[in-house]
Amino acid sequence: MSEIPAKATESEDPWDGARAEAASRSAAGGTPRGVARRATGRATATTADGTTHAPTAGGADSGGASARATGGAAGDVGRHTPAHGAGGVSADASNGMTGASHGAGHEAHGGRVPDPRSADRPGGADASAGRPGEGIGAGTPGTGTGPGNRAGTPGVGLGGGLGAGRPSDGPGDGSGDGPGDSMWQSSPPGSIYDYIKVASFSIGPDGLVDQWSLRAEHIFGIPAERAVGMDPIEAFVAPDLRERGQHKMAEILDGREWTGVVPFRMPDAEGTEGLAEVYVMPTTTEDGERAAVCIVVDVRTLRSIETDLAASQSIFGQSPFGFLLIDTDLRVRRANQRFASVFGGTPDDHRGRGVHDYLPSPEAERVAATLRRVLETGESITEMNVMGFVPGSDERRHWSINLYRVHSGSGRPIGIAWLSTDVTARRAAAREAAAARRNLALLNEAGARIGNSLDLETTARELLDVVVPGFCDLATVDLYQGLLVGDETPPGLADGSAELRRVAFASAVSDAPFVGGPAPVAVGAVHHYPFNSPCADALRMARPQHIPAEDGGLIQSTLAVPMVAHDTVVGLVQFSRTKGSEPFGERDRALAMELASRAAVCIDNARLYRREHERALILQRSLLPPGDPEASGLDIACRYLPGNAATEVGGDWFDVIELPGHRTALVVGDVMGRGLRAAVAMGELRTAVRTLALLDLEPAEVLSALDEIARGLGTPGGPSQAFGSGGGVQQASRTAARQPRDADLSEVYLATCVYVVYDSVTRRCTFANAGHLPPALVEPGESALMLDVPPGMPLGVGGEPFEEVEVELPEGALLALYTDGLVESRDHPLDEGLQALVGALTDPSQPLEDVCDHVLNTLDTHHGEDDIALLMARVQGLPADSVGDWTLPREPRSVGRAREYARGQLQSWDLEPLVDTTELLVSELVTNALRYGEGEIRLRLLLDRTLVCEVWDAGLVQPRRRRARDTDEGGRGLQLVGLLSAAWGSRRTPRGKTVWFELPLPDGESGLADPAEALLSLF
């Protein structure tokens, strides 16, 4: 460690000592240089000639202050340091610098040298007299007025502040025993010695420590018992500086002063280092030997004080924030220039002012209470918002205040620091940002909540749920009536006077009518706005309009905002705020337009979806059987439930087709997919089924043909190419075979279908299934079961034949055909749905309509995942007396017999009006069977809702109707059958063919054709 000689001012010249002595005399007020002495507790000053004088108050005596004056605390030096000189020692309380004049001090008490530790006892070096001892510590200012004492001379105490003895009230005799005695007192809190570290010790003639102060113990951490007798050079100076230190010590003991900044280390295990400014003053013992007194100041503490002072000046002088120092009386002690520039004047003009001089009364009371709380509790206050006005301005200003209690070095509260920042612009920006965040949050909420439904009214209510009460207090939504009913361009759109329907209303206030406001419009009511009204202007110009408030009403401000979607005005939304709320501004206007625009797009989408959904539903219902279908020998009931508004319409269908011979075809199918595409495919398949059914093909043949047609639906030419130029269904198969292998799967049409043919005469059902769910059958007295019908492949897959199953049904049996929407959903598997259907078919004897309702109510049919088609039929076979069946031999006489059989049967059925026509047509068909057919001839008459006549033979050649020329003698038989009958045709049977015709009953709506007129029409 090296010496730091920055402040070393070694005095080599005796003139330096004289100069220091002169400075000491000047600081002591001209007191003559002398030797400080103490005797029996009385502080006296003795001049060179032996005259004793009372010292000046405070202790900067004529000979200089005792070395004990460097302790800095009451009685510190007095307890540890005998007065071995150090005349003229003073302390500058403002900067902590110490100075000393050369002098010598002697202390004697009856010729005795006091004990080194006698200074620790109260009363000074000798406490035996019981008088107060001399203590050069911190003290209060005082004056002495007794004789021998210079009146009004303040005492200077090195302990900090101005120390003073007690004033002398009576005459003094110079001995110190009278009222003029001056007592040393401890300094009050706030002394500079609360901040700096000053200590003293003395060195004897042998160069060892012989006196050690309490402050020295605090600084060096060594008790007096250990310090006395130590060599200060060996104990505190680094080894490389000890030789020079010993040289200086020798010079000091020779009577030379020395001062400088010296690095030192603690004589402890850690070897802690420090930096001290040392002032060494030579002294002389009463034996005439050389000694010294050392005064030590911690330099680092002084430098930190300098830094703190500079920081304090920068805060008050350079801080961009308003800064106040408020005393304990809540008065301004100091203000910086920034604060003065805001409230006017200079910083000194604000001294002594209170918070009531700056803030309005209510705010000032609140701030004053806060200041008192901070002063009492010491709790800091941060970011306290204060509102007020500055001189010369009516603008309301806002400040952010930080308050904290300020303490002295001893910890005593001396005031409050006030740091203020003008946050007016920040608060305005914060309000703008908060409004922007609120609007953004409202838009986010609108995006999340509006448009979740494809229902117009629900979408309008979702808009009002978002804006009330977050944006406004009342709101209404009106939509054009024409758009709601499906019109693309509602009348009156150009001038805004078209009819509107109030679809939604929301209010955050009472529902009572508003005084002075317009008459309320009920939700669902149709109305219109006057041509010159702001609402009509908003609809006409597609721009928002502000509606002024009416006097005496509750509404303060209203915005009428048109709802525009895809350049089309679909309605009007009104936002209203009641009195007491903030009126609508430009930001609110822009937000209202954005909300209305988003809601308008959602409403328009819902309108378009509703339109498309209704069109698809109309298309699908048009493809289903109209009304309640009827069939011979069957009681029919059916249900069709489309998917809900959230799902598209599906491709489910059912059909009841009347076949010749009082037979009926029951069909239930399901095209995979939804929407118009599935509905159109369903319509094509349904038309194909009806066409194939009229060809009187077998069920397996019908499904095979449908499979070919379904495979042709995905081709560019569609199924129309399947029946091109005579190609039949084989053309569809070849077209499907030519499809690319990588064809788009979305163009592949798949469907399931079950086709059933019921013969009311024999009560036999023939089933063919193409991947559909099995039919359910309930026989009288038996539980329901699922018929074991081979499922086959779905239509459109191709490559696999279909199988037929024939079942004879008893009278009263119940047959149920259905689609998968009835028994399948995401909530439960298909098997559970089939079991539930079987369990619901418990009582087939009830009316079929009730049975259908019971099934739909029992099963979970409200999931809305798919369409539901349900077809139920109860078997009611033809009675035996309604059937006439005869076998005729293959001979010409069979024609006459056939006429006789027909006449007799009709007469038994009371159908006399049909006898002549029936005989004529039966004669024609039997004659054709004889001429062109094979095998036996069978004649059968069936009576139900119509009269059916069938002629059977074993020939496979189907009769074909042709137009005979005028010169032809024959070829007009089938023409005559077509003219006289309601319908006729032929079909193949397992053992030949059947030719039939049908006649309406006399009480039917269709009138009978006149045979004579029919014959004449042939020519």
mmCIF file of all heavy atoms in Angstrom, residues 4-26:
data_model
loop_
_atom_site.group_PDB
_atom_site.id
_atom_site.type_symbol
_atom_site.label_atom_id
_atom_site.label_comp_id
_atom_site.label_asym_id
_atom_site.label_seq_id
_atom_site.Cartn_x
_atom_site.Cartn_y
_atom_site.Cartn_z
ATOM 1 N N ILE A 4 -0.744 8.236 -0.012
ATOM 2 C CA ILE A 4 -1.428 9.144 -0.929
ATOM 3 C C ILE A 4 -1.169 10.559 -0.446
ATOM 4 O O ILE A 4 -1.846 11.049 0.467
ATOM 5 C CB ILE A 4 -2.926 8.862 -0.987
ATOM 6 C CG1 ILE A 4 -3.142 7.412 -1.423
ATOM 7 C CG2 ILE A 4 -3.635 9.789 -1.943
ATOM 8 C CD1 ILE A 4 -4.570 7.004 -1.428
ATOM 9 N N PRO A 5 -0.207 11.262 -0.951
ATOM 10 C CA PRO A 5 0.190 12.579 -0.422
ATOM 11 C C PRO A 5 -0.583 13.713 -1.043
ATOM 12 O O PRO A 5 -0.053 14.798 -1.200
ATOM 13 C CB PRO A 5 1.668 12.632 -0.786
ATOM 14 C CG PRO A 5 1.749 11.892 -2.081
ATOM 15 C CD PRO A 5 0.715 10.825 -2.030
ATOM 16 N N ALA A 6 -1.841 13.438 -1.501
ATOM 17 C CA ALA A 6 -2.574 14.488 -2.216
ATOM 18 C C ALA A 6 -2.762 15.720 -1.363
ATOM 19 O O ALA A 6 -2.694 16.841 -1.843
ATOM 20 C CB ALA A 6 -3.910 13.943 -2.679
ATOM 21 N N LYS A 7 -3.026 15.537 -0.031
ATOM 22 C CA LYS A 7 -3.261 16.691 0.833
ATOM 23 C C LYS A 7 -2.154 16.860 1.875
ATOM 24 O O LYS A 7 -2.323 17.579 2.859
ATOM 25 C CB LYS A 7 -4.605 16.542 1.536
ATOM 26 C CG LYS A 7 -5.781 16.580 0.594
ATOM 27 C CD LYS A 7 -7.079 16.475 1.336
ATOM 28 C CE LYS A 7 -7.248 17.650 2.284
ATOM 29 N NZ LYS A 7 -8.535 17.592 3.008
ATOM 30 N N ALA A 8 -1.071 16.138 1.688
ATOM 31 C CA ALA A 8 0.009 16.234 2.681
ATOM 32 C C ALA A 8 0.656 17.602 2.617
ATOM 33 O O ALA A 8 1.099 18.034 1.570
ATOM 34 C CB ALA A 8 1.045 15.140 2.425
ATOM 35 N N THR A 9 0.648 18.275 3.749
ATOM 36 C CA THR A 9 1.257 19.617 3.834
ATOM 37 C C THR A 9 2.214 19.650 5.015
ATOM 38 O O THR A 9 1.973 20.295 6.032
ATOM 39 C CB THR A 9 0.169 20.680 4.015
ATOM 40 O OG1 THR A 9 -0.589 20.352 5.182
ATOM 41 C CG2 THR A 9 -0.768 20.706 2.818
ATOM 42 N N GLU A 10 3.258 18.910 4.881
ATOM 43 C CA GLU A 10 4.228 18.793 5.978
ATOM 44 C C GLU A 10 4.893 20.154 6.227
ATOM 45 O O GLU A 10 5.319 20.838 5.306
ATOM 46 C CB GLU A 10 5.273 17.751 5.599
ATOM 47 C CG GLU A 10 6.318 17.564 6.681
ATOM 48 C CD GLU A 10 7.324 16.535 6.284
ATOM 49 O OE1 GLU A 10 7.174 16.006 5.164
ATOM 50 O OE2 GLU A 10 8.239 16.263 7.063
ATOM 51 N N SER A 11 4.936 20.491 7.474
ATOM 52 C CA SER A 11 5.491 21.798 7.851
ATOM 53 C C SER A 11 6.938 21.622 8.265
ATOM 54 O O SER A 11 7.231 21.247 9.394
ATOM 55 C CB SER A 11 4.659 22.420 8.998
ATOM 56 O OG SER A 11 5.186 23.651 9.363
ATOM 57 N N GLU A 12 7.870 21.901 7.382
ATOM 58 C CA GLU A 12 9.291 21.804 7.673
ATOM 59 C C GLU A 12 9.835 23.108 8.272
ATOM 60 O O GLU A 12 10.854 23.124 8.938
ATOM 61 C CB GLU A 12 10.061 21.457 6.392
ATOM 62 C CG GLU A 12 9.631 20.152 5.734
ATOM 63 C CD GLU A 12 10.093 18.964 6.537
ATOM 64 O OE1 GLU A 12 10.889 19.126 7.466
ATOM 65 O OE2 GLU A 12 9.638 17.832 6.206
ATOM 66 N N ASP A 13 9.167 24.174 7.990
ATOM 67 C CA ASP A 13 9.656 25.494 8.403
ATOM 68 C C ASP A 13 8.942 25.938 9.665
ATOM 69 O O ASP A 13 7.717 25.808 9.747
ATOM 70 C CB ASP A 13 9.390 26.493 7.281
ATOM 71 C CG ASP A 13 10.114 27.807 7.516
ATOM 72 O OD1 ASP A 13 10.637 27.981 8.621
ATOM 73 O OD2 ASP A 13 10.120 28.621 6.585
ATOM 74 N N PRO A 14 9.642 26.444 10.698
ATOM 75 C CA PRO A 14 8.960 26.953 11.887
ATOM 76 C C PRO A 14 7.983 28.052 11.548
ATOM 77 O O PRO A 14 7.027 28.282 12.287
ATOM 78 C CB PRO A 14 10.108 27.463 12.774
ATOM 79 C CG PRO A 14 11.291 26.701 12.321
ATOM 80 C CD PRO A 14 11.122 26.464 10.853
ATOM 81 N N TRP A 15 8.222 28.712 10.409
ATOM 82 C CA TRP A 15 7.268 29.766 10.007
ATOM 83 C C TRP A 15 5.884 29.183 9.721
ATOM 84 O O TRP A 15 4.869 29.853 9.917
ATOM 85 C CB TRP A 15 7.824 30.489 8.788
ATOM 86 C CG TRP A 15 6.856 31.531 8.264
ATOM 87 C CD1 TRP A 15 6.165 31.506 7.125
ATOM 88 C CD2 TRP A 15 6.504 32.745 8.919
ATOM 89 N NE1 TRP A 15 5.392 32.605 6.986
ATOM 90 C CE2 TRP A 15 5.587 33.420 8.121
ATOM 91 C CE3 TRP A 15 6.911 33.352 10.145
ATOM 92 C CZ2 TRP A 15 5.044 34.654 8.455
ATOM 93 C CZ3 TRP A 15 6.356 34.584 10.459
ATOM 94 C CH2 TRP A 15 5.425 35.217 9.628
ATOM 95 N N ASP A 16 5.877 27.957 9.264
ATOM 96 C CA ASP A 16 4.566 27.321 9.045
ATOM 97 C C ASP A 16 3.818 27.208 10.337
ATOM 98 O O ASP A 16 2.600 27.409 10.397
ATOM 99 C CB ASP A 16 4.770 25.929 8.427
ATOM 100 C CG ASP A 16 5.366 26.038 7.035
ATOM 101 O OD1 ASP A 16 5.225 27.112 6.430
ATOM 102 O OD2 ASP A 16 5.951 25.036 6.577
ATOM 103 N N GLY A 17 4.512 26.880 11.438
ATOM 104 C CA GLY A 17 3.849 26.809 12.732
ATOM 105 C C GLY A 17 3.358 28.166 13.178
ATOM 106 O O GLY A 17 2.267 28.299 13.754
ATOM 107 N N ALA A 18 4.141 29.216 12.947
ATOM 108 C CA ALA A 18 3.677 30.558 13.318
ATOM 109 C C ALA A 18 2.449 30.960 12.527
ATOM 110 O O ALA A 18 1.529 31.600 13.047
ATOM 111 C CB ALA A 18 4.831 31.557 13.095
ATOM 112 N N ARG A 19 2.479 30.630 11.219
ATOM 113 C CA ARG A 19 1.316 30.959 10.387
ATOM 114 C C ARG A 19 0.081 30.242 10.872
ATOM 115 O O ARG A 19 -1.007 30.803 10.943
ATOM 116 C CB ARG A 19 1.635 30.566 8.950
ATOM 117 C CG ARG A 19 0.543 30.999 7.964
ATOM 118 C CD ARG A 19 1.073 30.901 6.555
ATOM 119 N NE ARG A 19 1.713 29.603 6.348
ATOM 120 C CZ ARG A 19 2.622 29.382 5.410
ATOM 121 N NH1 ARG A 19 3.035 30.368 4.624
ATOM 122 N NH2 ARG A 19 3.151 28.184 5.263
ATOM 123 N N ALA A 20 0.242 28.951 11.263
ATOM 124 C CA ALA A 20 -0.905 28.218 11.819
ATOM 125 C C ALA A 20 -1.360 28.814 13.128
ATOM 126 O O ALA A 20 -2.550 28.861 13.431
ATOM 127 C CB ALA A 20 -0.524 26.745 12.006
ATOM 128 N N GLU A 21 -0.363 29.333 13.918
ATOM 129 C CA GLU A 21 -0.716 29.941 15.204
ATOM 130 C C GLU A 21 -1.525 31.209 14.984
ATOM 131 O O GLU A 21 -2.505 31.471 15.691
ATOM 132 C CB GLU A 21 0.557 30.231 15.991
ATOM 133 C CG GLU A 21 0.296 30.881 17.351
ATOM 134 C CD GLU A 21 1.596 31.171 18.071
ATOM 135 O OE1 GLU A 21 2.658 30.787 17.548
ATOM 136 O OE2 GLU A 21 1.534 31.760 19.137
ATOM 137 N N ALA A 22 -1.121 31.984 13.987
ATOM 138 C CA ALA A 22 -1.883 33.212 13.691
ATOM 139 C C ALA A 22 -3.297 32.887 13.239
ATOM 140 O O ALA A 22 -4.265 33.553 13.616
ATOM 141 C CB ALA A 22 -1.135 34.016 12.620
ATOM 142 N N ALA A 23 -3.423 31.863 12.413
ATOM 143 C CA ALA A 23 -4.779 31.457 11.995
ATOM 144 C C ALA A 23 -5.595 31.012 13.170
ATOM 145 O O ALA A 23 -6.799 31.266 13.258
ATOM 146 C CB ALA A 23 -4.679 30.336 10.954
ATOM 147 N N SER A 24 -4.945 30.327 14.133
ATOM 148 C CA SER A 24 -5.675 29.876 15.323
ATOM 149 C C SER A 24 -6.135 31.049 16.150
ATOM 150 O O SER A 24 -7.248 31.072 16.660
ATOM 151 C CB SER A 24 -4.782 28.944 16.130
ATOM 152 O OG SER A 24 -5.439 28.550 17.321
ATOM 153 N N ARG A 25 -5.282 32.061 16.261
ATOM 154 C CA ARG A 25 -5.696 33.246 17.028
ATOM 155 C C ARG A 25 -6.851 33.948 16.359
ATOM 156 O O ARG A 25 -7.777 34.416 17.017
ATOM 157 C CB ARG A 25 -4.506 34.199 17.166
ATOM 158 C CG ARG A 25 -3.604 33.903 18.351
ATOM 159 C CD ARG A 25 -2.808 35.125 18.702
ATOM 160 N NE ARG A 25 -2.126 35.672 17.531
ATOM 161 C CZ ARG A 25 -0.899 35.300 17.146
ATOM 162 N NH1 ARG A 25 -0.251 34.367 17.813
ATOM 163 N NH2 ARG A 25 -0.344 35.837 16.090
ATOM 164 N N SER A 26 -6.800 34.041 15.051
ATOM 165 C CA SER A 26 -7.903 34.696 14.330
ATOM 166 C C SER A 26 -9.206 33.953 14.506
ATOM 167 O O SER A 26 -10.260 34.541 14.691
ATOM 168 C CB SER A 26 -7.555 34.794 12.840
ATOM 169 O OG SER A 26 -8.642 35.328 12.129
#
